[in-house]
Amino acid sequence: MTADAPLTRESFRRLHPISTPRPLSQLPDRVWTDEDWDRIQLGYRARDMDEKWNVFAEGDVLFMHRSWTGHGVYEVSFAPMGGRGMRIVSAVAEADGERYRSMGGDYDCLMMELIVSAIVLGEPAAELRAGLVELTARASGKSDLPSGVVEHSALGLRSGS
């Protein structure tokens, strides 16, 4: 397999599909360019124990699995936007609390976009990262959560990486 070959379901040792799909009503507004979509379709494999996500595409559906457990967390369907790129048009998240604990629709919407933007595309995504820290602090009731800890816990990324 070459470096530019897309990752597939078979590229990963163990994957478990979402057991209890929950449709998400909040979706990111972003339209990804055709160049972004080409890169997104290549997927992403966690490179070490600290990274949290494995991502691959089948057609226009992007599958996001936790790297350690192989559990599916998000399945995201994209559609073309009339020559202006691709946009998320529907998504489901794991509703089984033993596999994934959601912090609500805002959080899931933000996480889907962060996984694509910061992990798959490697963008700085500073505004999304700040939103993650804010939503996590609000959900925990703690206002002094270190951003690096929050980002590493949810994404496997450190601030600015």
Side-chain angles (χ1 to χ4, degrees), residues 16-33:
H16 307 285
I18 291 175
S19 67
T20 311
R22 175 178 47 88
L24 299 177
S25 59
Q26 292 176 263
L27 303 172
D29 291 329
R30 179 171 175 176
V31 175
W32 282 273
T33 67

Side-chain angles (χ1 to χ4, degrees), residues 86-100:
M86 298 288 280
R87 180 173 186 188
I88 296 173
V89 293
S90 67
V92 296
E94 177 62 74
D96 180 345
E98 295 294 315
R99 290 179 164 217
Y100 174 68

Side-chain angles (χ1 to χ4, degrees), residues 103 107 110 129-147 150-151:
M103 287 193 258
Y107 183 86
L110 183 89
R129 289 171 182 248
L132 173 67
V133 173
E134 179 184 325
L135 287 173
T136 303
R138 191 178 320 149
S140 71
K142 299 179 181 176
S143 61
D144 60 346
L145 294 174
S147 61
V150 171
E151 291 176 28

